[in-house]
Amino acid sequence: QVSQVVGDLEKLLNASSVSLSMGQKAVRVISLHWTLTCSLSHEKWDFVRALPLCDRLIRLVEDLGLKLMVDGVSEALSSSSLVLAVMRVDGTSFPVITMDIVGTDDVQVVQSQLPRSKSALGSVYLPSSLVSGLSPAVQRHAHRVHFSFYTTSVLFQDKSLKDNTTVSPVLTSSVADMSIRNLSENIELTIRYLTPVEVNNHVSSCVFWDFALNGGGGGWSSLGCSIIRTTAEDSTCSCNHLTAFAILLDLSRQETVDPKHAQVLTFITYIGCGISAIFLAVTLLTYLMFDKLQRDIPAKILVQLCFSLLLLNLVFLLDGWLALYPAVGLCISTAFFLHYFLLTSFTWAGLEALHMYLSIVRVFVPYLGRYMLKFSLIGWGFPLIVVIIVISIDKDNYGLVTYGRDTDGSSDDFCWLRSDVAFYVGVVAYFLLVFVLCLLVFVVVMYQLARIKKQNPHNQFPSRGVLTDVRSVTGLVVLLGLTWGFALFAWGSLHTPFVYLFSIFNSLQGFFIFVFHCAVKDNVRRQWRTYLCCGRLRLAENSGLELELMLCVRAVKLTLVQETNTEKFDFTCRF
């Protein structure tokens, strides 16, 4: 019977707008039926039948707040256990808003920062910077703010809570139907306890209702908000949302970081990704402008890797902004492409390792027709197959995910993989395969080069020292993406330091590639000085021929020394 009444109420509120009289009746009906259904089921723990109804009642309140007609600046509807207040605002010049619920029949909503009423059951402070990060078009959509206050939490039933857990009255605040994050100034909510408590004998945490928890049945989540003040009578919460690059390969999916660290990691991530995007673009332009730089296979693989990393950084930088929009399809598409470009970056690093093994360990790359074409099909094709399989199984594998780093810390809503199974199979397992390949090749190559250097010391450049070797090894580590391995050690007490290492080295990977594989390479600098410089820095176009000829002859000599039993080889110096 209750289900039928709720269904009729849903149909009634399905219109584009709801009058004040109809809204008042709806509030009373909702209040009555949650008392009949949710409170009774709470006592009997009859979650199976009650949870869907309670969930629908919560959504009805939110829907009513969006559709209620407001004649003046604000309107309030109330019953003995539910208060709904709606305020019209100008989103392009969003005001400071303070809302106090002194009683179920006394709601004060004003556009100014007034001191909170000490006798208020609940209070909300919204800063004027709330929508500052949105575009003007989206700001215009933020034309109303609605608040809900539930005097009892029986409507919000979380079957994962322990028996000794008590939930206070529930206070909500929403701007239109938008999801607003990345706040420059935190909002504050204060809730008064029904009965005073002993501060030293209880543990409080600020939580929000997440409809996605408990298999879609809803539940309390503490990600993203923290308590800034608590007394025997009330508690005040502050909320903001942050993110870090380590979110892409957070193996635990639930580890914690202190809020201060989360703030620092966010700055490192966005600054690092921005710098990497710029220098990856410079590296790509350099190699694409000068044909001489792309005459060997490693250079061509480097171009593909840079292109993949550039797209990964750009999508990551846009992800948090695109997550602000309520369009589900947009968030799914963003998560899809973020996953794809992450996998392509792993794949091209693996192909670089494979080519290095064939070139250095086996000395001669076996003749393969359409060598780069086959590498390109693998580098861009395999990841595409993986993401298509993931989205084909369930499109909801991608979507909006709330990440947190501490129960008292910060979080961010991010378009990414929602399913743990899809994450561990489609990202972690894929990464581990590539990482093991790259690590093995790195060890084998280092051993091979050390053996050659030891056997043929007379063939080494006189100017080559320890710093040169360190530079080469570091460049190889960056190119093979071995810094992604920091994620494997981000556990327990080591979580925070390795998250820092992960965020720094991987958000700046594009910059390091530019330094080690572009800026310090003689042939690249020679091209810059030949075609981009003027005056004394400019080189003649044939100035590098003598050095190239010397390097080519030296390479042939080293090859003959390494392979004394080889009957033939194919080595070409091109000019």
Side-chain angles (χ1 to χ4, degrees):
Q1 292 175 346
V2 173
S3 178
Q4 182 178 352
V5 172
V6 173
D8 293 339
L9 193 57
E10 288 171 337
K11 293 178 182 178
L12 197 61
L13 298 181
N14 197 32
S16 58
S17 61
V18 179
S19 65
L20 287 175
S21 60
M22 181 60 67
Q24 182 62 55
K25 293 177 182 178
V27 166
R28 290 175 181 171
V29 171
I30 293 171
S31 179
L32 172 64
H33 284 81
W34 96 43
T35 302
L36 290 173
T37 305
C38 302
S39 60
L40 180 62
S41 66
H42 186 72
E43 295 173 2
K44 294 183 177 181
W45 297 98
D46 186 9
F47 289 106
V48 176
R49 287 177 290 180
L51 277 177
L53 285 176
C54 298
D55 181 81
R56 289 164 65 187
L57 288 169
I58 297 171
R59 294 179 187 274
L60 275 176
V61 177
E62 293 296 308
D63 196 37
L64 182 57
L66 293 173
K67 298 179 179 180
L68 185 67
M69 296 175 63
V70 180
D71 295 331
V73 177
S74 64
E75 295 287 353
L77 308 175
S78 64
S79 68
S80 59
S81 53
L82 171 64
V83 176
L84 175 64
V86 181
M87 184 178 193
R88 296 170 59 186
V89 296
D90 181 3
T92 57
S93 57
F94 197 88
V96 173
I97 299 177
T98 302
M99 191 276 296
D100 282 340
I101 299 178
V102 180
T104 54
D105 56 350
D106 185 0
V107 181
Q108 302 171 7
V109 185
V110 294
Q111 295 187 15
S112 64
Q113 187 173 353
L114 295 177
R116 181 181 68 86
S117 173
K118 294 184 178 181
S119 61
L121 299 176
S123 301
V124 179
Y125 163 72
L126 302 181
S128 59
S129 60
L130 192 69
V131 297
S132 60
L134 307 180
S135 65
V138 179
Q139 287 179 353
R140 286 192 292 271
H141 184 63
H143 55 82
R144 67 165 53 199
V145 179
H146 59 275
F147 308 91
S148 304
F149 181 75
Y150 304 81
T151 59
T152 174
S153 62
V154 295
L155 192 62
F156 301 85
Q157 298 189 32
D158 186 344
K159 59 184 179 182
S160 66
L161 292 182
K162 299 179 180 179
D163 295 346
N164 61 351
T165 302
T166 302
V167 181
S168 71
V170 179
L171 179 61
T172 75
S173 175
S174 303
V175 178
D177 58 349
M178 302 165 61
S179 182
I180 299 178
R181 301 166 183 87
N182 301 317
L183 304 179
S184 59
E185 183 179 357
N186 290 9
I187 66 172
E188 290 188 7
L189 302 94
T190 300
I191 298 178
R192 190 176 185 84
Y193 301 136
L194 296 177
T195 57
V197 298
E198 296 183 19
V199 178
N200 296 330
N201 294 330
H202 84 288
V203 178
S204 298
S205 63
C206 293
V207 292
F208 70 94
W209 187 255
D210 188 345
F211 287 98
L213 293 181
N214 297 322
W220 294 110
S221 173
S222 58
L223 302 180
C225 294
S226 61
I227 284 188
I228 59 175
R229 183 174 59 255
T230 184
T231 67
E233 289 78 27
D234 57 30
S235 290
T236 300
C237 299
S238 176
C239 300
N240 199 352
H241 302 279
L242 306 171
T243 190
F245 199 74
I247 198 175
L248 295 179
L249 207 59
D250 184 1
L251 302 186
S252 67
R253 310 265 291 181
Q254 60 185 4
E255 286 288 354
T256 59
V257 168
D258 184 86
K260 295 180 180 179
H261 292 306
Q263 182 79 33
V264 175
L265 287 168
T266 299
F267 288 132
I268 291 174
T269 293
Y270 281 95
I271 293 173
C273 287
I275 292 173
S276 284
I278 294 172
F279 283 98
L280 284 169
V282 173
T283 303
L284 280 172
L285 286 175
T286 298
Y287 276 83
L288 294 176
M289 283 174 58
F290 306 120
D291 293 336
K292 289 184 178 180
L293 299 179
Q294 289 195 70
R295 288 178 175 174
D296 57 355
I297 298 298
K300 295 177 180 178
I301 296 177
L302 177 64
V303 169
Q304 300 294 331
L305 176 62
C306 289
F307 186 60
S308 178
L309 287 172
L310 175 61
L311 294 175
L312 172 64
N313 279 273
L314 292 178
V315 175
F316 180 87
L317 290 171
L318 291 173
D319 194 306
W321 175 67
L322 294 175
L324 296 174
Y325 292 87
V328 177
L330 178 63
C331 194
I332 291 176
S333 301
T334 303
F336 177 90
F337 284 108
L338 184 64
H339 185 197
Y340 174 66
F341 291 126
L342 179 66
L343 296 187
T344 58
S345 300
F346 291 157
T347 307
W348 279 109
L351 291 174
E352 176 70 46
L354 178 60
H355 176 78
M356 195 173 298
Y357 172 80
L358 296 175
S359 301
I360 298 179
V361 179
R362 296 188 60 179
V363 181
F364 303 111
V365 177
Y367 177 76
L368 293 174
R370 302 179 183 274
Y371 190 79
M372 273 308 298
L373 176 61
K374 293 177 180 178
F375 264 37
S376 297
L377 290 176
I378 296 174
W380 300 106
F382 275 17
L384 183 61
I385 294 174
V386 173
V387 294
I388 288 177
I389 291 175
V390 171
I391 200 171
S392 297
I393 294 174
D394 186 358
K395 67 179 181 63
D396 290 333
N397 283 331
Y398 296 109
L400 199 63
V401 179
T402 298
Y403 276 87
R405 294 295 179 266
D406 194 83
T407 55
D408 294 331
S410 303
S411 71
D412 188 26
D413 281 354
F414 201 71
C415 297
W416 185 223
L417 282 162
R418 300 176 62 183
S419 168
D420 286 344
V421 175
F423 173 75
Y424 286 114
V425 175
V427 176
V428 177
Y430 197 102
F431 160 72
L432 288 176
L433 288 174
V434 175
F435 180 77
V436 170
L437 169 66
C438 292
L439 187 61
L440 289 176
V441 169
F442 177 78
V443 173
V444 171
V445 167
M446 289 295 99
Y447 171 77
Q448 183 78 353
L449 294 180
R451 184 178 64 86
I452 295 172
K453 184 176 181 180
K454 183 178 180 180
Q455 292 178 351
N456 307 283
H458 54 283
N459 285 316
Q460 304 301 318
F461 286 103
S463 59
R464 187 175 183 90
V466 176
L467 291 178
T468 305
D469 291 338
V470 171
R471 187 186 71 184
S472 300
V473 172
T474 305
L476 187 59
V477 169
V478 171
L479 189 64
L480 296 181
L482 296 181
T483 53
W484 288 83
F486 287 129
L488 301 176
F489 302 95
W491 298 91
S493 60
L494 296 177
H495 181 262
T496 299
F498 275 98
V499 165
Y500 268 96
L501 292 173
F502 183 96
S503 298
I504 293 172
F505 283 98
N506 290 296
S507 63
L508 288 170
Q509 186 179 6
F511 171 72
F512 293 139
I513 285 178
F514 169 81
V515 171
F516 292 109
H517 299 279
C518 197
V520 301
K521 293 187 71 172
D522 291 334
N523 59 336
V524 175
R525 293 205 309 270
R526 194 179 307 115
Q527 294 297 316
W528 285 344
R529 294 183 63 184
T530 300
Y531 297 102
L532 302 180
C533 294
C534 57
R536 295 181 179 180
L537 295 177
R538 183 179 178 85
L539 296 177
E541 292 191 16
N542 61 349
S543 62
L545 289 179
E546 182 178 351
L547 178 59
E548 289 184 13
L549 180 59
M550 182 186 71
L551 292 175
C552 183
V553 172
R554 195 171 192 82
V556 174
K557 183 178 180 182
L558 283 172
T559 301
L560 290 174
V561 170
Q562 295 170 36
E563 299 293 324
T564 55
N565 298 324
T566 301
E567 296 181 358
K568 62 178 181 177
F569 61 90
D570 181 14
F571 191 94
T572 306
C573 295
R574 299 180 180 180
F575 300 98

